Amino acid sequence: SFSTLQALMEETRRPFAHPDRHCRDELAKDLPSALQRREFFNVYQPKVALTNGAIAGVEALVRWRHPRCGILSPDHFITLAEQQGHIDALTRLVMENALHDSRLWLEKSQPFSVSVNVSMLSLMSPNFMNGMCALVLERGFSPSDFIFEVTEGRVLEDTRAPLEITARIKMAGFGLSMDDFGTGYSNMNRLRDYPFDELKLDRSFVTGITSSPATLKMCHASIALAQACGIRVVAEGIESRDEFQILKQMGCDYAQGYFICRPMTAEAMKLWLSAHWFGFAP
Ligand code: C2E
Ligand code: MG
Ligand code: MG
Ligand code: MG
């Protein structure tokens, strides 16, 4: 089935649709019914341990299969969903799809988690969190099988007791990850005070690591700082062997990026996982 994997991986290289103006205008109108028709699906990107290449889990990334515009990137509809008040419904659908797809890789015996990107808006609603918890338990999973990724900027900007909100997530048993670290208002106190399990170094840092000594030092310092707080560090957007090796030498915990694997459909991810049963070796 190597050729099947090759074919599926080729498919993942197909670029997103570039909706024209007419199409973009339609998206706002189409979103509510698209949710009902479940036009959204997840692709998955693995996260590997830098020490030994073990596959630690996958991140779910949502796509919209729009009947006329084609496959749309979340950049075209997440903000829209937030503005329209549909973000909770969308995230719930992403979680339902993740629970369904997870059956494909249940047989994995090592600890394995599925990361889901969650808008700070959703996390602030207690109903949303209770619903997520119920959904996960109902499907026979445990909240500890999942990690919620929240963008740093939004965590810190919000004034409504983010500490309480994040604590509630931890109490329910979900993992908590600070996404895109370095792009928002980095306040080191937050790392110490908030119950984050994981920090994701933004791709803009990883990209600069081979060319900018200052960026390299900032990565190093961020990793040391997070680890001093007991927080694991994921480098996102690794595109080259050099970046992979440098981050490994720095003691970064996990890596994610095109160099390891592009985001792909659940079926393709199942094949990729079985081809990397003993881990990823560059
Ligand atoms: P993110 O959570 O930081 O996800 C990483 C993004 O970087 C993904 O883009 C992924 O495809 C891309 N990426 C991964 N590795 C590489 C690499 O090596 N090079 C490059 N150039 N890019 C790489 P994607 O899927 O377009 O998602 C963009 C953003 O949309 C995500 O950033 C996340 O903030 C948001 N998003 C995605 N799915 C969801 C969702 O279900 N709910 C919410 N609320 N937001 C989502
Ligand atoms: Mg993310
Ligand atoms: Mg990220
Ligand atoms: Mg990012």
Side-chain angles (χ1 to χ4, degrees):
S1 79
F2 181 70
S3 59
T4 323
L5 180 58
Q6 286 294 97
L8 283 167
M9 286 182 72
E10 277 312 308
E11 199 186 300
T12 65
R13 280 168 198 280
R14 246 192 287 155
F16 288 121
H18 292 286
D20 57 20
R21 220 181 120 212
H22 171 71
C23 230
R24 282 204 305 273
D25 289 343
E26 276 185 38
L27 298 184
K29 177 174 66 66
D30 293 344
L31 188 69
S33 54
L35 279 165
Q36 244 145 35
R37 285 196 298 268
R38 297 180 161 258
E39 285 173 6
F40 300 87
F41 66 100
N42 296 345
V43 291
Y44 297 89
Q45 187 180 36
K47 176 172 94 182
V48 308
L50 277 160
T51 47
N52 58 8
I55 318 299
V58 293
E59 176 178 3
L61 296 157
V62 69
R63 302 290 179 258
W64 181 357
R65 189 182 282 109
H66 191 284
R68 286 177 311 284
C69 304
I71 309 270
L72 298 175
S73 125
D75 295 335
H76 286 295
F77 57 86
I78 293 296
T79 311
L80 196 64
E82 286 179 350
Q83 286 163 353
Q84 291 190 342
H86 292 306
I87 190 67
D88 287 9
L90 179 61
T91 310
R92 191 179 163 93
L93 186 51
V94 171
M95 187 55 125
E96 282 173 0
N97 288 338
L99 285 160
H100 175 266
D101 295 339
S102 291
R103 273 162 228 209
L104 287 171
W105 45 74
L106 256 188
E107 67 242 53
K108 272 194 75 73
S109 51
Q110 299 135 307
F112 191 82
S113 62
V114 178
S115 296
V116 175
N117 293 283
V118 177
S119 163
M120 195 61 202
L121 272 178
S122 300
L123 293 185
M124 287 189 304
S125 129
N127 282 341
F128 172 82
M129 274 304 298
N130 291 342
M132 287 298 240
C133 208
L135 178 65
V136 165
L137 295 172
E138 194 177 282
R139 303 284 177 93
F141 286 85
S142 151
S144 61
D145 295 327
F146 293 88
I147 299 173
F148 288 144
E149 294 191 4
V150 194
T151 302
E152 181 203 12
R154 303 208 187 120
V155 178
L156 303 188
E157 274 163 30
D158 199 275
T159 49
R160 275 179 283 176
L163 193 56
E164 208 176 288
I165 296 155
T166 50
R168 205 192 296 144
I169 299 160
K170 286 308 300 165
M171 233 134 70
F174 292 101
L176 190 61
S177 174
M178 188 188 273
D179 207 348
D180 301 330
F181 181 81
T183 59
Y185 300 89
S186 310
N187 181 337
M188 298 313 181
N189 291 336
R190 311 285 178 151
L191 276 187
R192 184 195 58 200
D193 297 339
Y194 286 58
F196 284 100
D197 305 292
E198 182 187 277
L199 172 159
K200 297 188 84 166
L201 266 185
D202 191 65
R203 176 158 65 88
S204 53
F205 280 96
V206 172
T207 307
I209 213 168
T210 50
S211 56
S212 152
T215 305
L216 186 98
K217 283 180 196 153
M218 282 172 79
C219 275
H220 209 160
S222 305
I223 292 166
L225 192 85
Q227 288 174 344
C229 301
I231 298 168
R232 301 182 299 267
V233 182
V234 186
E236 65 174 27
I238 293 189
E239 292 187 358
S240 72
R241 181 183 306 270
D242 279 355
E243 290 165 355
F244 187 94
Q245 294 301 350
I246 291 169
L247 284 153
K248 181 177 173 169
Q249 277 156 24
M250 275 187 188
C252 186
D253 300 282
Y254 300 106
Q256 226 181 321
Y258 293 173
F259 175 65
I260 299 146
C261 181
R262 291 198 173 228
M264 48 175 81
T265 60
E267 286 295 334
M269 186 46 59
K270 181 192 167 75
L271 289 177
W272 190 90
L273 288 172
S274 37
H276 295 83
W277 202 255
F278 299 103
F280 171 83

